[in-house]
Amino acid sequence: MASISTFKLERLIHKASSFPSSPSSLQLPLRKESIPFLCRTNRASTLLTQSIAREIPASLSKSNDGLPKPKQGLEKDSIALWHRYVDWLYQHKELGLYLDVSRIGFTDEFVAEMEPRLQAAFKAMDELDKGAIANPDEGRMVGHYWLRNPKLAPNSFLRLQIENTLEALGKFADDVVIGKIKPPSAGRFTHILSVGIGGSALGPQFVAEALAPDNPPLKIRFIDNTDPAGIDHQIAQLGAELASTLVIVVSKSGGTPETRNGLLEVQKAFREAGLDFSKQGVAITQENSLLDNTARIEGWLARFPMFDWVGGRTSEMSAVGLLAAALQGIDIKEMLAGAALMDDANRTNVVRNNPAALLALCWYWASDGVGSKDMVVLPYKDSLLLFSRYLQQLVMESLGKEFDLDGNRVNQGITVYGNKGSTDQHAYIQQLREGVHNFFVTFIEVLRDRPPGHDWELEPGVTCGDYLFGMLQGTRSALYSNERESITVTVQEVTPRSVGALVALYERAVGIYAALVNVNAYHQPGVEAGKKAAGEVLALQKRVLAVLNEASCKEPVEPLTLEEVSERCHAPEDIEMIYKIIAHMAANDRALIAEGSCGSPRSIKVFLGECNVDQLYA
Ligand SMILES: O=P(O)(O)OC[C@H]1O[C@](O)(CO)[C@@H](O)[C@@H]1O
């Protein structure tokens, strides 16, 4: 029970009317109780096996005997820990946001060693702010920071693009909400169906869950996959309200297959319901993309631009996130203001005053700068449930890179996962506390439990929110006492302003961390490999179909073995994939198994139910 004093102390702080700007100024009784010394043995084991030719700070390096040098520095007792807490606590007064890094055990030596690297990272971020080509592969600028402060855009053309888009989407949203813009066969739009994937979905999903009021002007649903059953479910849930649904199709490239499929499925549903899709469709995409041209030619209700210099995973403050938010009655100006304030804070070169740099520093320490530990994100607030999923893409697509900027193979990244507390306490916290030590935690704490006037004590002196608070602090203490490090980000309330600030905080932290480990955070070459391979599977499927069709058009029908199909496809090396293609088609009644069963692939003989004569000569 050694950490109880810390628990009690922080609980007292929590009960103060607002978070103190200077915790050490509180007059609270302190009991000096020791907590177990947290040494850092077995650290950096990953470093030992990494053959990365790059400079590693001495505090992470091997000792003379070849063993990992323990990182020391975690405080032994609660009073020293309290001082560490106070010394390192970051507060953004205007945002009501706090960052506690005291339960990450970096040493002063480590901070000093990282200082020059951090200064170099600040310089890189500064250049990016000024419009440098920060994504060399794609030859583009990286300007998501300008979206919330257009005056920072490197030229007036870009500034006007941002301002005009913001104005246009705000007006469009207002007109939709008041019913000035309405669907042909309903009095007003009541629902949004957002079709998009990855960065074109995760931000809007997170923000809808975090901020949409209980009765929004328009309720939102998402199609973010090419799963036919999932799409059917969304359309079925809308039912007759499809007639009053605004469909927002979001794709920066305008050519992502999953999104295109979602659009085609929704358009089919519109046709079947006798509705005119173009009168209810909105496109958010790059100018002149396939989607943009389709929307223009078909005369959709509206089109909004996605800028070349905004990446999908950092597009929440562009039309991608803002249009959906505004239509749900979320104050987008406040979101932008929160993000802008946070960006300003993250522009200081003084590390301890720069929250994004502090996060990046902690990530580097905790994961040895090579992703040796996973980042578990635990918001203790239901409405922030999707934050970890949102961060998963932001962090992993940005940092998970095979090569660094100098072409060295580094296989970088940090794994992110999480759900919410205290729910997770009854799921995987057991392993976090006692099992494999391969993670660090980020707690997201929200001080305000409920809107004022709604609280009540479910037992003397204790509210439901006190329990949530106790669970967070208890988990933090219990993990720490077993050498599990954590960061805590605290906000007063979940508001458009604090959510905007959280998004901006992590966007910048990812940028700084990428600079620290020298990777390009703004491209995603690895995703292309999967997309290319998926295209090859579909191309192979077409060849399989042609071969089966030819055999099925014979009199009598000629069922084929897998070997025969693969030979006729001139792809004997692809026999396993051909088997999977046939099994999938058979499960969907598009191929018939004449002999054998899918459970014993060698026994299969397959043919098509129908001969398609047209395809024979295609
Ligand atoms: O907005 P788009 O071009 O449809 O892309 C969707 C997502 O696909 C990715 O390119 C990777 O698959 C993400 O980076 C992006 O957010």
Side-chain angles (χ1 to χ4, degrees):
M1 299 307 289
S3 57
I4 283 292
S5 63
T6 316
F7 175 84
K8 279 186 183 161
L9 181 59
E10 285 163 16
R11 187 181 162 84
L12 280 164
I13 293 168
H14 176 77
K15 296 304 281 182
S17 58
S18 74
F19 216 87
S21 56
S22 170
S24 59
S25 65
L26 279 175
Q27 297 298 308
L28 294 171
L30 297 178
R31 264 191 308 143
K32 184 164 177 166
E33 290 178 15
S34 63
I35 69 159
F37 174 56
L38 307 182
C39 68
R40 302 185 63 91
T41 50
N42 297 328
R43 298 287 303 182
S45 54
T46 309
L47 282 175
L48 285 174
T49 54
Q50 292 275 346
S51 55
I52 299 168
R54 63 184 182 77
E55 208 188 315
I56 295 167
S59 60
L60 295 179
S61 64
K62 285 184 266 179
S63 58
N64 291 340
D65 57 7
L67 292 170
K69 188 170 136 189
K71 291 192 227 173
Q72 288 164 352
L74 288 185
E75 298 296 348
K76 293 180 187 178
D77 65 63
S78 55
I79 298 303
L81 204 48
W82 162 245
H83 286 300
R84 182 174 173 81
Y85 176 82
V86 175
D87 289 347
W88 280 99
L89 183 67
Y90 170 82
Q91 178 202 21
H92 193 301
K93 278 201 180 123
E94 209 173 335
L95 286 168
L97 180 144
Y98 300 82
L99 175 61
D100 159 29
V101 295
S102 65
R103 265 56 172 185
I104 297 282
F106 55 77
T107 57
D108 292 346
E109 180 199 11
F110 171 77
V111 176
E113 282 167 14
M114 292 300 284
E115 178 69 22
R117 286 172 175 232
L118 281 160
Q119 291 306 325
F122 294 148
K123 195 158 168 283
M125 298 306 289
D126 188 44
E127 280 162 12
L128 180 138
D129 276 344
K130 289 185 178 130
I133 300 297
N135 183 351
D137 289 20
E138 297 171 11
R140 45 178 194 90
M141 298 184 283
V142 172
H144 46 274
Y145 302 106
W146 313 327
L147 295 169
R148 46 265 193 162
N149 192 348
K151 286 190 212 91
L152 289 181
N155 59 55
S156 56
F157 175 74
L158 294 180
R159 179 173 55 78
L160 284 174
Q161 259 193 332
I162 301 166
E163 288 171 350
N164 293 344
T165 304
L166 193 57
E167 197 184 322
L169 75 84
K171 178 157 177 12
F172 178 81
D174 287 348
D175 288 349
V176 167
V177 168
I178 62 173
K180 195 166 160 194
I181 296 178
K182 55 184 187 170
S185 45
R188 56 178 284 267
F189 283 109
T190 58
H191 287 74
I192 304 162
L193 183 56
S194 181
V195 184
I197 196 166
S200 292
L202 289 159
Q205 286 169 331
F206 162 53
V207 166
E209 189 79 18
L211 296 173
D214 290 340
N215 290 303
L218 279 83
K219 292 196 178 96
I220 195 160
R221 291 190 161 277
F222 292 92
I223 290 177
D224 66 352
N225 199 358
T226 184
D227 173 10
I231 295 170
D232 291 348
H233 175 68
Q234 294 303 329
I235 293 171
Q237 290 287 308
L238 284 167
E241 281 168 324
L242 199 61
S244 58
T245 297
L246 186 73
V247 182
I248 307 180
V249 185
V250 191
S251 174
K252 177 176 176 181
S253 61
T256 301
E258 292 94 330
T259 304
R260 183 208 67 148
N261 296 357
L263 167 62
L264 295 179
E265 293 274 358
V266 173
Q267 286 181 320
K268 174 171 169 283
F270 267 74
R271 279 195 303 279
E272 286 169 359
L275 300 167
D276 180 352
F277 177 85
S278 66
K279 302 283 188 295
Q280 297 178 223
V282 174
I284 300 178
T285 184
Q286 284 191 111
E287 216 178 325
N288 286 326
S289 72
L290 188 59
L291 173 60
D292 190 42
N293 292 335
T294 306
R296 184 168 36 77
I297 292 162
E298 293 179 1
W300 292 15
L301 189 56
R303 291 181 291 135
F304 295 99
M306 240 194 118
F307 307 120
D308 164 58
W309 38 268
V310 175
R313 55 188 172 273
T314 52
S315 64
E316 179 47 36
M317 304 288 159
S318 74
V320 172
L322 297 182
L323 179 62
L327 288 164
Q328 293 169 88
I330 296 165
D331 189 339
I332 58 173
K333 292 206 170 108
E334 276 291 288
M335 277 174 69
L336 291 166
L341 281 169
M342 179 50 74
D343 287 344
D344 284 347
N346 287 329
R347 288 195 177 97
T348 175
N349 290 353
V350 181
V351 175
R352 62 169 61 230
N353 296 338
N354 181 323
L358 284 174
L359 275 186
L361 186 78
C362 290
W363 298 354
Y364 198 105
W365 168 269
S367 75
D368 300 320
V370 293
S372 62
K373 287 213 162 51
D374 303 342
M375 187 192 306
V376 181
V377 180
L378 282 180
Y380 275 64
K381 187 55 68 182
D382 286 2
S383 64
L384 296 180
L385 170 73
L386 297 183
F387 194 43
S388 54
R389 201 190 289 181
Y390 170 77
L391 289 182
Q392 200 168 53
Q393 187 207 20
L394 178 64
V395 175
M396 294 179 74
E397 205 167 68
S398 301
L399 301 179
K401 300 293 154 68
E402 184 166 14
F403 297 103
D404 71 8
L405 285 164
D406 301 321
N408 303 310
R409 187 185 299 276
V410 289
N411 298 111
Q412 268 292 354
I414 302 179
T415 302
V416 178
Y417 65 93
N419 184 34
K420 64 171 172 150
S422 68
T423 313
D424 289 349
Q425 198 146 337
H426 304 274
Y428 58 81
I429 299 285
Q430 164 63 32
Q431 176 169 319
L432 298 193
R433 174 64 168 67
E434 295 182 352
V436 56
H437 187 177
N438 61 354
F439 67 92
F440 63 100
V441 172
T442 304
F443 293 103
I444 312 287
E445 179 187 34
V446 180
L447 292 178
R448 168 67 78 181
D449 294 331
R450 276 195 159 124
H454 288 77
D455 233 347
W456 66 289
E457 292 182 354
L458 39 73
E459 55 190 69
V462 183
T463 66
C464 192
D466 291 340
Y467 268 92
L468 187 67
F469 164 75
M471 296 294 179
L472 188 162
Q473 299 303 336
T475 303
R476 173 175 173 269
S477 298
L479 290 178
Y480 188 73
S481 69
N482 210 20
E483 303 181 20
R484 273 67 174 158
E485 292 170 297
S486 66
I487 298 165
T488 302
V489 180
T490 300
V491 293
Q492 295 282 348
E493 282 181 77
V494 179
T495 61
R497 185 172 276 239
S498 63
V499 166
L502 283 174
V503 168
L505 173 62
Y506 277 85
E507 283 178 350
R508 198 77 173 190
V510 164
I512 293 173
Y513 187 87
L516 290 180
V517 299
N518 194 34
V519 297
N520 178 354
Y522 309 106
H523 68 171
Q524 51 285 329
V527 180
E528 298 313 313
K531 284 186 190 166
K532 193 164 161 266
E536 284 163 8
V537 172
L538 293 175
L540 181 61
Q541 175 169 313
K542 286 186 183 158
R543 278 152 61 202
V544 169
L545 267 173
V547 163
L548 288 179
N549 188 49
E550 200 176 331
S552 304
C553 285
K554 287 194 175 152
E555 277 295 342
V557 171
E558 183 193 9
L560 300 176
T561 64
L562 288 176
E563 280 79 11
E564 286 165 340
V565 178
S566 57
E567 265 159 37
R568 291 184 195 190
C569 283
H570 307 292
E573 71 285 359
D574 288 330
I575 189 162
E576 183 177 325
M577 188 58 75
I578 288 170
Y579 160 68
K580 287 177 186 246
I581 288 168
I582 286 172
H584 177 245
M585 290 200 302
N588 288 281
D589 310 322
R590 288 155 61 211
L592 300 175
I593 308 285
E595 279 175 34
S597 81
C598 283
S600 23
R602 285 196 193 90
S603 68
I604 294 176
K605 280 200 164 190
V606 66
F607 66 105
L608 296 183
E610 286 177 9
C611 152
N612 185 338
V613 182
D614 294 343
Q615 211 184 61
L616 269 186
Y617 306 106

